[in-house]
Amino acid sequence: NESIIIQSRGELLLRAFDNLIRNALHHAGRGCHIEISVHQELPELLVIDITDNGPGITEKDLGSIFEPFFRSNNNPGNGLGLAITKRAIEAHGGTITAYNRTTGGLCMHVKLPCMAQLS
């Protein structure tokens, strides 16, 4: 039996994932379906996908959503949430990308370094 350990500043990482989940709930709309999957890609890499079945993001905006003050389609907010989320994940040695799913909706794809520890 293995446990996965991520060395983190817990509050910072908690806020990053809270923001991703809140964004998915807000932008996917009523009756949305949010799925969170976690798997170990390599012994030292944890992958977390937060997906929804909403409208997704226009392809031209996908490359900008992590930039400070960017707001797609004049959405409410100050455009800082995803920029802060990206910096928090990068502060933990990770990466975040976003892509539209072929079945509809958006996926936030997070990779974080980890250690496996035998229990």
Side-chain angles (χ1 to χ4, degrees):
N1 194 9
E2 286 187 5
S3 298
I4 304 298
I5 298 172
I6 297 176
Q7 296 203 355
S8 70
R9 293 174 46 205
E11 184 68 24
L12 187 60
L13 213 48
L14 174 66
R15 288 184 185 190
F17 283 104
D18 179 65
N19 186 47
L20 291 174
I21 294 166
R22 285 179 191 267
N23 274 357
L25 289 169
H26 176 76
H27 294 290
R30 288 195 148 205
C32 69
H33 176 79
I34 306 294
E35 183 177 318
I36 302 169
S37 64
V38 180
H39 70 276
Q40 198 170 355
E41 191 169 280
L42 300 169
E44 67 281 346
L45 192 62
L46 192 66
V47 176
I48 302 111
D49 287 325
I50 300 171
T51 59
D52 65 59
N53 63 343
I57 296 177
T58 63
E59 290 298 321
K60 73 176 182 67
D61 288 346
L62 263 178
S64 303
I65 62 172
F66 297 107
E67 298 298 319
F69 307 112
F70 179 80
R71 295 183 323 160
S72 179
N73 298 329
N74 294 320
N75 282 315
N78 55 21
L80 290 175
L82 288 178
I84 292 169
T85 295
K86 180 180 180 190
R87 286 199 175 111
I89 289 168
E90 288 175 344
H92 288 88
T95 62
I96 182 169
T97 55
Y99 62 88
N100 287 310
R101 298 171 41 193
T102 56
T103 57
L106 184 70
C107 177
M108 292 291 189
H109 185 71
V110 178
K111 292 184 178 186
L112 289 169
C114 68
M115 301 184 272
Q117 181 177 14
L118 295 175
S119 312

